[in-house]
Amino acid sequence: MSTVKEKLIENLIGEEKISQSKITIVGTGAVGMACAICILLKDLADELALVDVAVDKLKGETMDLQHGSLFFNTPKITSGKDYSVSANSKLVIVTAGARQQEGESRLALVQRNVNIMKSIIPTIVHHSPDCKMLIVSNPVDILTYVVWKLSGLPATRVIGSGCNLDSARFRYLIGEKLGVHPTSCHGWIIGEHGDSSVPLWSGVNVAGVALKSLDPKLGTDSDKDQWKNIHKQVIESGYQIIKLKGYTSWAIGLSVTDLVGSILKNLRRVHPVSTMVKGLYGLKEEIFLSIPCVLGQNGISDIVKVNLNSEEEALFKKSADILWNIQKELV
Ligand SMILES: NC(=O)c1ccc[n+]([C@@H]2O[C@H](COP(=O)([O-])OP(=O)(O)OC[C@H]3O[C@@H](n4cnc5c(N)ncnc54)[C@H](O)[C@@H]3O)[C@@H](O)[C@H]2O)c1
């Protein structure tokens, strides 16, 4: 007796079901799920795998996404507690871990999340030895270093989301002040994703017109327009959103998805992401900090050598010192 399927469909070729652009997201909390929905809506993967230790939540989130399959073009959504589900991933996005409590700094989270990385990274690499890894869990710069060490992957394939979000917030706020869409407001934040991040006021421009050429005091204490407050707002916005809604999710999900697009589509766009900066700007330690990087199918293929002025370089080095002082104590 043939089934309805057999009566309806005649199979002509037995196709091997190997994904070409599989993405795994580890951690299905607020950030992981925001990344998932943005990636699905942008059609960036042919398979999306989700991994979490909280099995009921994982199953619920997976079913909820699968039931939206009619509305996007990713034919396979899988999940499991076991990392075998992540096998053959092109890109693994790590959002697992504790999040900041109200008023808690990103750096205070460190040892808790280092221990989580120890438990997950070797298994991920075992199942996807050729993957790129995109680290989002905080403190993201230190954890990207930790993942690099634990994974044995080249530093070019272990990328921290770093200041990609900070720079997006920066451009949004500049846009608000000027009444111009953020895509036309160019500006970079480098260094630590967090309190010691460094705004590059010298490069802020609209249509190639450097704002600092219009007011050399831009971004300093004596600037009467107080542009400096924009950077202050960037630093405070994470804390403020956590105070208001308990976590941040949408902007980080969108900004991570922008990075995913550059990597999986080999776009070679430049993003401020966290990478190994030893040897740059006189830094001697193995520290990960954000600088403008070219992202493509092999991860970070190039870095853009930004000419920092003396004040920016001093702030960048201060950011590195802060991270190194924490990183060197890690077990
Ligand atoms: N880099 C950034 O710009 C940025 C922005 C926002 C949040 N974050 C960070 O992202 C992380 C996640 O934030 P969130 O709000 O989604 O937190 P969340 O608590 O909502 O989710 C974390 C998830 O990780 C899972 N998890 C914990 N241990 C695990 C393990 N060993 N293996 C697999 N899964 C595990 C939990 O079960 C949970 O579902 C935090 O560290 C947060 O600080 C980073």
Side-chain angles (χ1 to χ4, degrees):
M1 264 288 272
S2 43
T3 64
V4 170
K5 183 178 172 184
E6 284 161 352
K7 285 179 190 161
L8 179 71
I9 296 167
E10 185 179 336
N11 182 237
L12 301 180
I13 44 171
E15 287 181 328
E16 248 192 297
K17 288 176 184 144
I18 296 178
S19 302
Q20 300 303 316
S21 54
K22 177 171 175 176
I23 298 177
T24 292
I25 300 177
V26 184
T28 53
V31 173
M33 292 316 294
C35 293
I37 198 73
C38 295
I39 286 167
L40 289 172
L41 287 171
K42 288 222 160 186
D43 293 343
L44 292 174
D46 61 0
E47 181 176 352
L48 179 67
L50 305 172
V51 182
D52 201 297
V53 281
V55 283
D56 284 351
K57 161 119 170 98
L58 178 63
K59 192 168 178 200
E61 292 288 14
T62 307
M63 287 173 68
D64 209 0
L65 285 182
Q66 286 168 336
H67 296 172
S69 292
L70 180 61
F71 310 107
F72 41 71
N73 299 312
T74 301
K76 195 168 174 193
I77 299 173
T78 50
S79 69
K81 193 180 171 182
D82 190 299
Y83 281 87
S84 55
V85 79
S86 72
N88 189 34
S89 291
K90 286 278 182 294
L91 178 67
V92 177
I93 304 170
V94 179
T95 75
R99 63 158 91 120
Q100 289 161 269
Q101 304 298 312
E102 193 182 322
E104 185 182 30
S105 82
R106 292 173 180 86
L107 295 178
L109 282 176
V110 69
Q111 193 64 52
R112 271 189 287 164
N113 283 346
V114 166
N115 295 340
I116 290 177
M117 296 306 139
K118 281 185 188 167
S119 71
I120 67 178
I121 298 302
T123 327
I124 294 172
V125 179
H126 172 74
H127 287 288
S128 301
D130 297 323
C131 70
K132 275 81 57 188
M133 287 204 185
L134 182 50
I135 314 308
V136 186
S137 309
N138 273 322
V140 66
D141 303 293
I142 293 180
L143 291 184
T144 308
Y145 162 82
V146 169
V147 170
W148 171 53
K149 285 287 173 195
L150 291 169
S151 67
L153 294 174
T156 48
R157 285 208 268 139
V158 182
I159 305 146
S161 66
C163 287
N164 201 48
L165 174 59
D166 314 53
S167 298
R169 286 174 171 152
F170 192 47
R171 293 174 68 179
Y172 162 73
L173 292 166
I174 292 169
E176 284 294 285
K177 203 165 164 92
L178 296 175
V180 173
H181 192 273
T183 52
S184 298
C185 298
H186 304 283
W188 295 75
I189 291 188
I190 61 167
E192 181 206 352
H193 163 59
D195 301 349
S196 71
S197 66
V198 183
L200 300 181
W201 291 110
S202 52
V204 172
N205 76 85
V206 174
V209 180
L211 272 56
K212 219 159 164 60
S213 71
L214 307 176
D215 179 1
K217 294 201 169 94
L218 189 103
T220 67
D221 288 332
S222 44
D223 154 21
K224 62 178 177 352
D225 282 350
Q226 286 299 293
W227 283 82
K228 205 174 179 174
N229 278 341
I230 285 187
H231 180 233
K232 218 171 139 215
Q233 277 176 268
V234 169
I235 293 175
E236 284 168 1
S237 51
Y239 295 107
Q240 204 183 349
I241 297 167
I242 289 170
K243 193 168 175 201
L244 291 166
K245 66 172 239 186
Y247 53 87
T248 65
S249 56
W250 305 125
I252 181 64
L254 287 161
S255 73
V256 164
T257 302
D258 203 41
L259 301 176
V260 173
S262 288
I263 296 168
L264 287 194
K265 293 191 177 290
N266 195 23
L267 293 179
R268 298 186 56 77
R269 288 189 297 174
V270 182
H271 298 267
V273 287
S274 200
T275 192
M276 241 278 280
V277 290
K278 184 180 172 185
L280 297 173
Y281 306 109
L283 296 180
K284 293 191 176 59
E285 313 294 353
E286 287 183 335
I287 292 275
F288 277 63
L289 284 175
S290 285
I291 52 170
C293 297
V294 178
L295 279 188
Q297 62 187 353
N298 296 314
I300 297 175
S301 59
D302 309 80
I303 57 166
V304 176
K305 293 185 272 181
V306 182
N307 273 332
L308 303 180
N309 65 33
S310 56
E311 197 193 340
E312 290 163 348
E313 189 166 330
L315 289 171
F316 189 74
K317 283 183 172 154
K318 197 172 153 204
S319 208
D321 284 345
I322 291 170
L323 291 192
W324 176 245
N325 282 331
I326 296 171
Q327 199 171 292
K328 69 181 185 203
E329 303 295 331
L330 293 178
V331 282

